Amino acid sequence: MKKYFNLFDFSQRVDYKTEVLSGITVALALIPEAVAFALIAGLSPLTGLYAAFVMGLVTSILGGRPGMISGATGAIAVIIITLALSHGVEYVFATVVLAGLIQLAAGSLKLGKLIRLVPHPVIFGFVNGLAIIIFMSQLDQFKGVDGNWLQGTALYILLGLVFLTMLIIWGLPKLTKAVPASLVAIVVVFGIVAGVGIDTKTVGDIASIKGGFPPFHIPAVPFNLDTLILILPYSAIMAGVGLIESLLTLNIIDEITETRGRSNKEAVAQGIANITSGFFSGMGGCAMLGQSLINISAGARARLSGIVASVMLLVFIIFGSGLIEQVPMAALTGLMIMVAIGTFEWASIKTVTKMPKKDIFLMFLVTIVTAVLHNLALAVLIGVILAALFFAWDNAKRIRARKYIDENGVKHYEMFGPLFFGSVSAFSEKFEVLTDPNEVIIDFAESRVVDMSAIEALNKITERYHKVGKKIHLRHLSPDCRILLARADQIIEVNIMEDPTYKVLTDQKALNKITT
């Protein structure tokens, strides 16, 4: 039965059954990942589980993207591993709090809209790289405690259970969507293993998840400048990585659900969540694309699923650890492999022959950097920088001039295309200073002076004409460009008659005079 679920300022139609079942599925899938990421960072499993609970709960309530799941992530674990090993967990908690403050400031300053600068090929590369990471991380489950690949019966059992899980997740939705296929797959595989007594790896073989409610704890670090200098670089990188991964995930979920999230609100929520996580013994985190896709593919669209996932995760930690530790890792491995398959943008491969070569290059580069270095922020940053350089290069080639001499013997240069640092050289080459008549007009009606490099180019060209005793006029320059021009007295004549400036009248008498 569908009802309305209101939470703070958010109101939407919600299917309670779908939201609750999706939340339980996500909670089960969160456990091994949170434990694994904590161990990667050199921290206790509960540190990752507490972060998953706090991050998931706070962002589900306050975030700008209903249905998106946040928790402890591998990108964050990679950042803090050095700090955790060299200075201990207390400095990690302090770093998480400071990172949250940075994210909170970024969201409050409305910087979340900068995610619009990320081109689509970069998003494709990010998603594909993340899918590869998710898939490759599951291969560890096919290794024994000695680090060697499983062989014989143990391998065949694991493969069989993994394929059974994948088959259920793939096939059940074709029969019914009454319950999430992921949850059914986990329950079925768990029942087979428990009923038959199959000896296979379980969650408990990775680490114990038993614990209590996350304890409130002020990081036990010296509150001085030395501590700030130490943790600030880690916090800044963590904040940046967290925001990039979260806002890209938000965009991807927006496309899937054909709805629109609020990036600045999500940035604020991520900041508050990390601050809370640092004070409640968590390692911090950000949005999780894999878990979010599990949630969305199960039909969840509201905040309730994320809240249920967080609460159930805490319930498992406090009351159900003994049962959850018996869940076969094969079920969760199969689930995550299906997530990896669903995450990968297969359409990006089909459109390779139809995309511009530079876009194909960007997509594959971001994919490789993401998959190899496991550094999502660096991959996206490289992609954005290269995309900006490609854009600048393309526009640098678009500056052109139409030349003609009028009946008065005045030569006109009508400029087309933007004049900026990349196009100033081509701009300067357009002029024939020595052979031009004594009077020249450069018209910028179809051009735009963009930066200081362009202003300097204008100064130089006017100076070249001035040295040979010729007069030059610059027309249709915007007011800001005219102010910036350094030599605009007798050398440069700016035509302002065709560039009217419209001002808002606030004087009531002036308004009355106009209307009468």
Side-chain angles (χ1 to χ4, degrees), residues 338-418:
M338 291 300 291
V339 169
I341 294 173
T343 301
F344 197 89
E345 284 283 358
W346 300 100
S348 63
I349 296 178
K350 297 178 182 178
T351 58
V352 163
T353 57
K354 303 176 182 178
M355 295 171 62
K357 291 181 180 180
K358 61 179 182 297
D359 289 342
I360 298 172
F361 173 77
L362 275 180
M363 182 181 69
F364 279 104
L365 179 64
V366 174
T367 299
I368 292 171
V369 173
T370 302
V372 175
L373 299 183
H374 291 205
N375 192 327
L376 305 179
L378 177 61
V380 172
L381 183 62
I382 291 174
V384 171
I385 292 174
L386 286 178
L389 291 176
F390 290 152
F391 177 79
W393 177 256
D394 288 342
N395 279 275
K397 297 184 293 184
R398 292 178 182 174
I399 190 76
R400 61 191 190 279
R402 186 172 68 180
K403 310 172 189 179
Y404 67 92
I405 298 177
D406 64 20
E407 64 275 7
N408 298 317
V410 179
K411 187 168 184 179
H412 294 253
Y413 288 86
E414 293 183 352
M415 305 307 303
F416 296 85

Side-chain angles (χ1 to χ4, degrees), residues 156-171:
Y156 299 142
I157 291 175
L158 182 60
L159 285 172
L161 295 174
V162 168
F163 283 128
L164 176 60
T165 304
M166 296 172 63
L167 180 63
I168 294 174
I169 295 175
W170 172 79

Side-chain angles (χ1 to χ4, degrees), residues 126-445:
F126 164 82
V127 172
N128 292 345
L130 193 58
I132 294 173
I133 290 176
I134 293 173
F135 176 78
M136 296 300 293
S137 65
Q138 303 311 307
L139 297 182
D140 289 338
Q141 305 306 324
F142 294 88
K143 296 180 180 180
V145 293
D146 56 357
N148 295 321
W149 294 100
L150 295 176
Q151 295 180 355
T153 304
L155 176 61
Y156 299 142
I157 291 175
L158 182 60
L159 285 172
L161 295 174
V162 168
F163 283 128
L164 176 60
T165 304
M166 296 172 63
L167 180 63
I168 294 174
I169 295 175
W170 172 79
L172 185 61
K174 301 180 184 300
L175 302 176
T176 178
K177 295 183 179 180
V179 291
S182 301
L183 181 59
V184 173
I186 293 173
V187 172
V188 169
V189 173
F190 178 77
I192 292 174
V193 170
V196 181
I198 298 175
D199 183 17
T200 187
K201 187 188 297 185
T202 64
V203 173
D205 293 329
I206 299 177
S208 174
I209 67 167
K210 184 175 180 58
F213 190 86
F216 178 79
H217 173 71
I218 298 176
V221 298
F223 290 89
N224 54 37
L225 184 59
D226 291 338
T227 300
L228 179 62
I229 293 174
L230 172 65
I231 67 174
L232 182 58
Y234 294 98
S235 296
I237 297 173
M238 181 185 295
V241 169
L243 286 180
I244 290 173
E245 191 165 348
S246 298
L247 297 182
L248 285 180
T249 300
L250 182 146
N251 280 356
I252 293 166
I253 301 302
D254 280 356
E255 291 185 8
I256 294 173
T257 60
E258 298 183 350
T259 57
R260 188 181 181 95
R262 298 168 60 184
S263 57
N264 290 315
K265 185 175 182 180
E266 184 62 34
V268 170
Q270 291 289 331
I272 296 174
N274 272 304
I275 294 171
T276 308
S277 178
F279 282 122
F280 280 88
S281 306
M283 61 179 281
C286 60
M288 308 177 74
L289 179 58
Q291 306 299 335
S292 299
L293 290 176
I294 291 175
N295 197 39
I296 294 300
S297 63
R301 294 292 184 272
R303 300 178 184 273
L304 183 59
S305 57
I307 296 173
V308 170
S310 303
V311 173
M312 289 305 300
L313 179 62
L314 184 62
V315 169
F316 294 154
I317 294 171
I318 298 176
F319 303 107
S321 59
L323 180 63
I324 299 303
E325 287 174 6
Q326 298 178 36
V327 172
M329 283 303 302
L332 300 178
T333 299
L335 170 61
M336 295 310 298
I337 290 176
M338 291 300 291
V339 169
I341 294 173
T343 301
F344 197 89
E345 284 283 358
W346 300 100
S348 63
I349 296 178
K350 297 178 182 178
T351 58
V352 163
T353 57
K354 303 176 182 178
M355 295 171 62
K357 291 181 180 180
K358 61 179 182 297
D359 289 342
I360 298 172
F361 173 77
L362 275 180
M363 182 181 69
F364 279 104
L365 179 64
V366 174
T367 299
I368 292 171
V369 173
T370 302
V372 175
L373 299 183
H374 291 205
N375 192 327
L376 305 179
L378 177 61
V380 172
L381 183 62
I382 291 174
V384 171
I385 292 174
L386 286 178
L389 291 176
F390 290 152
F391 177 79
W393 177 256
D394 288 342
N395 279 275
K397 297 184 293 184
R398 292 178 182 174
I399 190 76
R400 61 191 190 279
R402 186 172 68 180
K403 310 172 189 179
Y404 67 92
I405 298 177
D406 64 20
E407 64 275 7
N408 298 317
V410 179
K411 187 168 184 179
H412 294 253
Y413 288 86
E414 293 183 352
M415 305 307 303
F416 296 85
L419 180 57
F420 67 109
F421 69 91
S423 60
V424 291
S425 296
F427 169 78
S428 300
E429 295 171 358
K430 304 293 182 186
F431 299 94
E432 303 163 345
V433 177
L434 297 178
T435 59
D436 277 347
N438 290 331
E439 192 168 1
V440 174
I441 295 176
I442 306 177
D443 195 329
F444 288 90

Side-chain angles (χ1 to χ4, degrees), residues 1-18:
M1 177 179 179
K2 295 184 177 180
K3 299 181 179 179
Y4 282 96
F5 176 73
N6 300 314
L7 189 59
F8 295 98
D9 62 338
F10 191 84
S11 177
Q12 71 177 118
R13 186 174 294 276
V14 171
D15 186 333
Y16 277 97
K17 183 184 72 173
T18 298

